[in-house]
Each structure stands twice: as structure tokens, then as C-alpha cells.
Amino acid sequence: MNIRRPLIAGNWKMFKTCSEAVETAKHLVTRVDDVTDVDVMIAPAFIALAQVADIVKGSKVSLGAQNLFWEKEGAFTGEISPHMIVSTGCKYVIIGHSERRQFFEETDESVNKKINAAVKNGIEPILCVGESEKERESNETFSVLDKQITKGLQGLFTDNLKHLTIAYEPVWAIGTGKTATDEQAQEVHLFLRSLIEKKLGNKFAESIKILYGGSVKPDNITSLMSMPDIDGALVGGASLDAETFSKIVHFL
Ligand code: PEP
């Protein structure tokens, strides 16, 4: 266990209607009420944010959005602004998830604009980075991550990045049932922390949370969390069920 307070974050992706999201949130709130040493976050779909916000208010569960658009308002059909996200009570926003990079043409440049917009509006960004299977096999993992971090954080400095969290999510481990081994994940987390140290200094690097994501389940979370540079998890599939997610939150 390390000095950083762990964060267990649930990404509900494009699952659950409003009423289903409310039901799951209700179950989760009661199941994690006893938690004291772990931060918990869920990111429902945009349509459910306001209703889930009412359920998690005053509980151990914080709210996150799965994406944002950087403009304040305007003729951007289908987009959601940082300001709107704040108005629903979100504390966090997930930015640069590999599914957005893969299916919705998210680039490091758009990720950078989104991180900027989040920090300007007081929303804590969770920046997702990760290599594909092909990139890992051709020994490009570190160069891919370097590029994603360098471009994603371009022009940002410690003053405005106080609450940045990074999620290392190897694309080959997302929703596939394949998890990086504890050692593989630790190796990359250490690399990311050293990279952040070079860019933003030692103090910042020591305090930044680096989450692991990719088929995290109740039976692999404890050993992942025993690694010195793994500070929590971004959980997709296993966050959809309150009981399963609560077991992950209670990893200690
Ligand atoms: C994710 O969506 O960020 C994720 C890690 O998904 P899963 O846990 O299902 O692999």
C-alpha cells in the first residue's frame, strides 16, 4: 500500500437506462457506506447524471462524466459542455478513453483541449492512456504512452493540474478478460510516474494517482493494489453490478 489515497472508479459506458442507473447507484451507496480509506466514483451515461447525483449526494460515492466537449456553449449538436457537467454535480471526467480514441476519432490534440477545459471548470480529469496489443508486441508501449502523455498534457502545468489522475488501460485488456500481470502493470505505472516527474517535477509525480484499468475484477484487484505504483482502478464491466463493484472497492 502506498501513500496516495486509492481511487476505485466505475465506467458504466453505454449501459443502463436512467432507472437502472438509479437502482444500481442506490445499491452501491449502501454497500460502500463503511469505506473510509478509498475514494469511489461512478460514471453513468450523461442522461442519468442528474438523477444519479441525487442518489449519491452525501454518500461515499462521487460522480463522474465519461466525456466532455471543450466549448462553453453553442451550436454543437450532441455535445455536452464542462459547465453542464458541473451543473449535474460531477467531480470527475474520464478523458481519452480508448473506446473514444478507437470509435470516435479522439486524438491527443482533442484530449489536450478536453483536459484544459476540465481543469478550467474545476472538474478532475482522469486521463486514459494505453497501448494496443500490436504496439506492445512490437515493443512500442513506452513510446506510445510517452506520446499520449506529452501531447495530452501539452501546455499544462502543475498549478492548473492539481487534481489530474492518469488511468493506464492497455487496450488489449479492456473488456477482454485479459489482465496485465501485476508486474506488467507496475512496470508501466513506474514508467508513467517517471515521465510525469520529468515533466512536472518530483512532488507532483509522487502525489499523482495512476489507476490501472483492464478487466479488473474482485479476484485480481488485491494483488494489483499491492503494487507500489498502482493507486486504484478504472473498472468497466465489473462496475455495472453494485455487489461486484463493492467487492472491488473493499479490496483491502
Ligand atoms: C474501462 O472501460 O475503462 C475498462 C477498463 O473496462 P473493463 O474493466 O471492462 O475491461
Side-chain angles (χ1 to χ4, degrees), residues 13 24 57 63 71 99 112 117 123 126 133 137 141 190 198 215 217 241 244:
K13 312 193 188 199
T24 309
K57 205 172 185 177
L63 198 60
E71 294 290 346
E99 286 152 14
N112 182 250
I123 316 170
I126 300 177
E133 191 151 37
E137 279 166 3
T141 299
L190 185 61
K198 275 191 226 140
S215 301
K217 304 272 180 305
D241 175 69
T244 309

Side-chain angles (χ1 to χ4, degrees), residues 167-201:
Y168 168 56
E169 300 207 303
V171 179
W172 49 272
I174 297 182
T176 58
K178 290 187 202 169
T179 321
T181 63
D182 303 340
E183 291 73 24
Q184 276 174 327
Q186 167 59 25
E187 182 190 30
V188 173
H189 281 229
L190 185 61
F191 168 79
L192 288 169
R193 202 175 300 286
S194 321
L195 188 61
I196 293 292
E197 183 176 358
K198 275 191 226 140
K199 293 183 186 304
L200 297 162

Side-chain angles (χ1 to χ4, degrees), residues 9-13 94 97-99 128 167-171 173-178 212-217 233-240:
N11 172 16
W12 286 1
K13 312 193 188 199
I94 299 169
H97 191 281
S98 65
E99 286 152 14
C128 301
Y168 168 56
E169 300 207 303
V171 179
I174 297 182
T176 58
K178 290 187 202 169
Y212 170 77
S215 301
V216 171
K217 304 272 180 305
L234 181 54
V235 186
S239 71
L240 295 170

Side-chain angles (χ1 to χ4, degrees), residues 56-241:
V56 301
K57 205 172 185 177
S59 80
K60 299 284 170 60
V61 181
S62 298
L63 198 60
Q66 298 177 18
N67 186 26
L68 57 66
F69 186 58
W70 52 84
E71 294 290 346
K72 186 166 178 263
E73 59 185 7
F76 302 106
T77 304
E79 293 298 329
I80 307 280
S81 75
H83 181 64
M84 292 168 183
I85 286 170
V86 169
S87 78
T88 63
C90 279
K91 179 174 178 194
Y92 299 94
V93 61
I94 299 169
I95 294 179
H97 191 281
S98 65
E99 286 152 14
R100 296 216 58 83
R101 294 179 191 257
Q102 200 179 338
F103 305 125
F104 301 100
E105 292 169 20
E106 187 87 277
T107 62
D108 292 324
E109 289 71 24
S110 58
V111 163
N112 182 250
K113 286 185 184 173
K114 290 178 181 191
I115 302 260
N116 254 300
V119 294
K120 272 191 198 137
N121 286 276
I123 316 170
E124 302 189 18
I126 300 177
L127 165 60
C128 301
V129 294
E131 81 288 0
S132 67
E133 191 151 37
K134 195 160 155 255
E135 288 161 342
R136 175 162 279 264
E137 279 166 3
S138 48
N139 283 325
E140 290 173 68
T141 299
F142 292 157
S143 60
V144 167
L145 296 172
D146 191 328
K147 181 174 152 286
Q148 289 174 342
I149 294 283
T150 303
K151 293 197 165 183
L153 298 182
Q154 196 163 5
L156 287 152
F157 301 100
T158 48
D159 281 1
N160 47 21
L161 269 181
K162 274 186 203 88
H163 299 295
L164 174 72
T165 295
I166 290 175
Y168 168 56
E169 300 207 303
V171 179
W172 49 272
I174 297 182
T176 58
K178 290 187 202 169
T179 321
T181 63
D182 303 340
E183 291 73 24
Q184 276 174 327
Q186 167 59 25
E187 182 190 30
V188 173
H189 281 229
L190 185 61
F191 168 79
L192 288 169
R193 202 175 300 286
S194 321
L195 188 61
I196 293 292
E197 183 176 358
K198 275 191 226 140
K199 293 183 186 304
L200 297 162
N202 175 268
K203 202 165 153 231
F204 191 82
E206 280 306 310
S207 65
I208 191 169
K209 287 179 203 186
I210 307 180
L211 314 182
Y212 170 77
S215 301
V216 171
K217 304 272 180 305
D219 60 5
N220 58 23
I221 183 69
T222 308
S223 61
L224 283 163
M225 289 302 292
S226 70
M227 295 289 118
D229 288 286
I230 299 184
D231 309 315
L234 181 54
V235 186
S239 71
L240 295 170
D241 175 69

